[in-house]
């Protein structure tokens, strides 16, 4: 009888164990700032074994992964990736935007202070983001047992991916040549971060975003956090969000591979070597099948117009500030009052000076319509000029229209969006400048990589159209947890069904 009872109990235990939700030990998100999709293949023959080639050959690639909002900039990209939403619902309208009538940085928080230095670079938090993230949902699903961390050289690239309930986020402060955090997360740096800072080897005042060594430093800290916090071995699923910022800063300065120098190649080959080492650390920490990893980008990048012209390709620039000045002059003549009717432009989004209009008893709707009509006279420069409040009925291609709608957050986004010609920068480009830019609606800025690797991922690819906002619901679906609160994307079936 005792044997029967024991057998029944063992069966029950086995059934309970089998009924447990299957999840990886660790989820790792890697964002490569300003990585065009074609970097996967342009540098393929120069990549070594075990790094990017391993990712491409062992992973599942979404080859037609697109950004479906404007503007295509860093803060918005990181927020959108991890919330599964665009600015219209998560609220990070740009790297900087208006909030309650004040011009603010996306992560500014005057209620918090820096932890780790005396500077103000740590007065940050994710509070301006109006949605939860993958990490927030994982924390909820595990009764907050899961550990979630974010690391990057840029503050916004560490804070926004990690989410609201993260255990920690760390970013670089060049005044101390080390990583800091915010009182939002903790009151004191962990000893292992303090120790790591002493071993970085970069002199104070030098910005590691401007050198390939910044890539190495970021991955080294990610590995340090993983080991110190024993991520993936805490009895639940943990998450580590890593963003590589040097690729963006270097490209802004020296350009894509199409530009004369080899700086872009150097930083991406450094990425390849460092990511190989990071993969090996993950393998050792939780095993090759113990982690679910995805690599993607926050936006792409457009070739410099000087380089384009050198190869007889279309390209140029629009001096948007100069054009705004002419429109302001035209408005002064039309309405009889001189002044800055448009007082700010951020990534092609124009902000009408409502205080100026109120002071001069001018009708906002009439002024806005007049500004739009004036810009429409410049159709060779601006093919489309869109009233953001009425973008849904704008006579423009759907590709552009949906991006304006998805990027519009009333009160934070500007009033009018200017659509410039493809491969045109929004500022005057000097003859000796060869840097890349981003922020626009074109393929160069919106086509990004998305490759999954590891737990339940089989090698392969799909050319089906997928969107950046599909990333978070895909990961959450694989983890059997609810998608973030503002999600507008959908799980990528070709990835989820592999499980």
């Amino acid at each position: 009888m005792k044997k029967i009872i024991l057998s029944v109990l063992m069966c029950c235990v086995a059934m309970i164990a089998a009924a447990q939700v299957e999840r990886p030990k660790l989820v790792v998100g890697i964002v490569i700032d300003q990585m065009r999709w074609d970097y996967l293949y342009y540098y393929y023959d120069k990549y070594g074994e075990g790094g990017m080639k391993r990712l491409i050959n062992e992973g599942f690639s979404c080859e037609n992964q697109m950004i479906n909002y404007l503007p295509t900039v860093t803060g918005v990209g990181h927020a959108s990736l991890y919330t599964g939403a665009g600015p219209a619902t998560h609220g990070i309208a740009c790297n900087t935007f208006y909030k309650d009538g004040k011009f603010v940085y996306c992560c500014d928080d005057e209620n918090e202070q820096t932890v780790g230095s005396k500077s103000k670079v740590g007065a940050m938090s994710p509070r301006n983001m109006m949605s939860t993230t993958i990490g927030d949902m994982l924390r909820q699903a595990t009764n907050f047992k899961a550990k979630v961390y974010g690391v990057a050289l840029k503050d916004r690239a560490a804070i926004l991916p990690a989410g609201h309930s993260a255990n920690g986020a760390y970013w670089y402060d060049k005044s101390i040549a080390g990583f800091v955090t915010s009182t939002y997360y903790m009151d004191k740096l962990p000893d292992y971060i303090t120790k790591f800072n002493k071993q970085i080897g970069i002199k104070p005042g030098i910005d590691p975003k401007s050198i390939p060594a910044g890539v190495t430093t970021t991955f080294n800290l990610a590995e340090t956090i993983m080991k110190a916090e024993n991520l993936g071995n805490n009895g639940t699923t943990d998450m580590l969000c890593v963003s590589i910022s040097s690729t963006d800063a270097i490209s802004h300065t020296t350009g894509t591979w199409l530009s004369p120098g080899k700086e872009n190649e150097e930083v991406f080959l450094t990425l390849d070597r460092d990511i190989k080492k990071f993969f090996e650390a993950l393998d050792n920490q939780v095993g090759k099948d113990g982690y679910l990893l995805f690599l993607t980008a926050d936006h792409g990048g457009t070739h410099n117009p000087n380089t384009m012209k050198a190869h007889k390709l279309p390209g140029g620039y629009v001096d948007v500030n100069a054009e705004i000045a002419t429109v302001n002059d035209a408005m002064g003549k039309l309405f009889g009052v001189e002044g800055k009717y448009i007082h700010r432009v951020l990534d092609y989004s124009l902000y009408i000076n409502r205080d100026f209009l109120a002071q001069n008893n001018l009708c906002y709707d009439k002024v806005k319509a007049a500004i739009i009509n004036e810009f429409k006279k410049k159709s060779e420069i601006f093919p489309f000029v869109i009233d953001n409040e009425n973008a849904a009925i704008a006579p423009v291609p759907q590709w552009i229209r949906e991006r304006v709608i998805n990027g519009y957050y009333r009160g934070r986004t500007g009033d009018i969006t200017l659509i410039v010609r493809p491969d045109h920068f929004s500022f005057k480009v000097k003859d000796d400048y060869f840097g890349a830019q981003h922020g626009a609606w074109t393929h160069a800025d919106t086509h990004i990589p998305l490759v999954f690797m590891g737990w339940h991922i089989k090698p392969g690819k799909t050319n089906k159209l997928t969107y950046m906002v599909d990333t978070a619901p895909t990961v959450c679906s694989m983890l059997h947890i609810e998608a973030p609160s503002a999600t507008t994307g959908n799980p990528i079936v070709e990835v989820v069904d592999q499980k």
Side-chain angles (χ1 to χ4, degrees):
M1 185 67 179
K2 289 182 179 179
K3 289 183 178 181
I4 295 174
I5 294 174
L6 182 60
S7 297
V8 172
L9 288 173
M10 290 180 67
C11 288
C12 290
V13 171
M15 290 174 65
I16 292 171
Q20 290 179 342
V21 176
E22 186 184 10
R23 293 180 180 134
K25 295 178 180 179
L26 179 63
V27 178
V28 181
I30 301 177
V31 181
I32 312 301
D33 205 325
Q34 201 180 145
M35 182 175 179
R36 294 165 54 105
W37 165 81
D38 50 14
Y39 287 163
L40 287 175
Y41 302 104
Y42 182 81
Y43 291 123
Y44 183 86
D45 292 340
K46 296 182 180 181
Y47 291 143
E49 299 299 326
M52 293 297 290
K53 278 188 177 178
R54 175 182 170 185
L55 175 74
I56 295 166
N57 296 332
E58 294 184 11
F60 186 89
S61 179
C62 298
E63 297 283 280
N64 198 19
Q65 173 82 343
M66 305 299 299
I67 297 173
N68 65 339
Y69 59 77
L70 287 174
T72 48
V73 296
T74 299
V76 184
H78 283 82
S80 299
L81 279 166
Y82 284 88
T83 63
T89 51
H90 64 56
I92 301 299
C94 196
N95 289 334
T96 51
F97 50 81
Y98 278 90
K99 179 186 175 186
D100 300 326
K102 296 181 180 179
F103 191 59
V104 301
Y105 175 65
C106 60
C107 292
D108 273 346
D109 193 333
E110 61 184 12
N111 295 315
E112 305 296 346
Q113 297 178 349
T114 307
V115 175
S117 81
K118 296 181 180 180
S119 73
K120 295 182 179 180
V121 301
M124 306 277 178
S125 83
R127 289 192 175 103
N128 288 330
M129 184 167 61
M130 311 303 291
S131 173
T132 54
T133 62
I134 301 170
D136 290 327
M137 304 314 293
L138 179 60
R139 293 267 288 160
Q140 291 181 42
T142 60
N143 290 320
F144 299 94
K145 294 177 182 178
K147 291 183 178 182
V148 176
Y149 288 90
V151 57
L153 296 178
K154 292 181 181 179
D155 47 63
R156 57 189 181 273
I159 293 169
L160 299 174
H164 296 271
S165 63
N167 299 85
Y170 303 99
W171 53 96
Y172 198 82
D173 181 353
K174 64 182 181 180
S175 73
I176 64 161
F179 286 83
V180 298
T181 189
S182 163
T183 48
Y184 178 87
Y185 304 101
M186 60 194 74
D187 296 323
K188 180 183 177 183
L189 283 179
D191 291 340
Y192 65 83
I193 298 291
T194 302
K195 180 180 178 181
F196 180 87
N197 283 342
K198 294 178 181 179
Q199 301 171 348
I200 290 176
I202 298 175
K203 293 181 180 180
I206 295 177
D207 187 352
K209 293 195 298 295
S210 64
I211 54 178
V215 178
T216 308
T217 300
T218 305
F219 274 120
N220 284 346
L221 179 56
E223 184 177 340
T224 297
I225 294 171
M226 181 175 67
K227 292 178 179 177
E229 297 293 344
N230 201 27
L231 299 184
N233 295 305
N234 293 306
T236 187
T237 300
D238 298 320
M239 185 168 190
L240 182 59
C241 308
V242 185
S243 184
I244 302 302
S245 306
S246 300
T247 44
D248 179 72
I250 290 173
S251 188
H252 274 303
T253 304
T254 60
T256 63
W257 82 81
L258 207 60
S259 297
K262 293 288 186 180
E263 292 86 355
N264 189 270
E265 177 178 310
E266 182 183 359
V267 72
F268 272 92
L269 294 187
T270 300
L271 167 69
D272 177 52
R273 293 190 292 270
D274 289 341
I275 208 168
K276 174 185 177 182
K277 179 176 176 290
F278 186 61
F279 287 165
E280 291 170 349
L282 288 167
D283 294 344
N284 293 331
Q285 182 90 355
V286 295
K288 287 187 176 182
D289 298 321
Y291 59 92
L292 172 63
L293 179 144
F294 62 91
L295 180 143
T296 185
D298 54 346
H299 52 73
T302 297
H303 300 304
N304 185 280
N306 286 327
T307 308
M308 296 286 279
K309 287 183 179 180
H311 295 281
K312 299 182 180 179
L313 295 168
Y317 67 83
V318 176
D319 191 342
V320 171
N321 285 321
E323 298 299 332
I324 288 173
T326 65
V327 171
N328 277 332
D329 289 342
M331 293 303 103
K333 293 176 182 178
L334 179 63
F335 291 101
V337 182
E338 293 185 356
K340 288 189 176 181
Y341 288 75
I342 304 164
H343 69 124
R344 192 180 294 274
V345 56
L346 292 173
D347 293 294
Y348 311 101
S349 186
L350 304 180
Y351 291 80
I352 295 175
N353 192 340
R354 296 178 187 238
D355 290 339
F356 171 78
L357 300 189
Q359 291 167 7
N360 291 280
N361 197 29
L362 295 170
C363 174
Y364 166 77
D365 289 330
K366 290 182 178 179
V367 169
K368 180 171 67 171
I371 290 173
I372 291 173
N373 286 334
E374 192 65 27
F375 272 110
K376 283 183 176 180
K377 296 177 183 178
K378 306 171 184 287
S379 59
E380 284 298 311
I381 303 173
F382 307 107
F384 303 108
V385 184
I386 300 172
D387 178 350
N388 289 338
E389 276 285 314
N390 298 292
I393 58 173
V396 301
Q398 189 221 344
W399 174 279
I400 296 173
R401 183 169 59 247
E402 71 173 350
R403 279 154 178 75
V404 173
I405 293 171
N406 292 338
Y408 180 63
Y409 190 100
R410 185 182 292 109
R412 295 188 177 186
T413 307
D415 303 277
I416 299 166
T417 294
L418 299 176
I419 302 298
V420 301
R421 292 163 60 185
D423 297 312
H424 277 61
F425 287 6
S426 62
F427 56 89
K428 187 174 182 179
V429 177
K430 296 181 179 179
D431 292 341
D432 60 349
Y433 175 64
F434 291 94
Q437 288 296 325
H438 56 85
W441 58 274
T442 58
H443 254 251
D445 289 2
T446 59
H447 191 190
I448 56 175
L450 175 62
V451 187
F452 292 87
M453 188 182 83
W455 182 78
H456 286 310
I457 297 296
K458 300 174 184 176
K461 63 179 62 176
T462 178
N463 284 299
K464 174 187 173 183
L465 177 62
T466 58
Y467 294 113
M468 174 190 273
V469 296
D470 297 332
T471 309
T474 299
V475 174
C476 289
S477 181
M478 294 187 74
L479 299 179
H480 297 291
I481 63 177
E482 189 57 75
S485 54
T487 294
T488 56
N490 296 290
I492 301 170
V493 174
E494 289 83 354
V495 177
V496 176
D497 282 356
Q498 292 191 27
K499 184 172 176 297

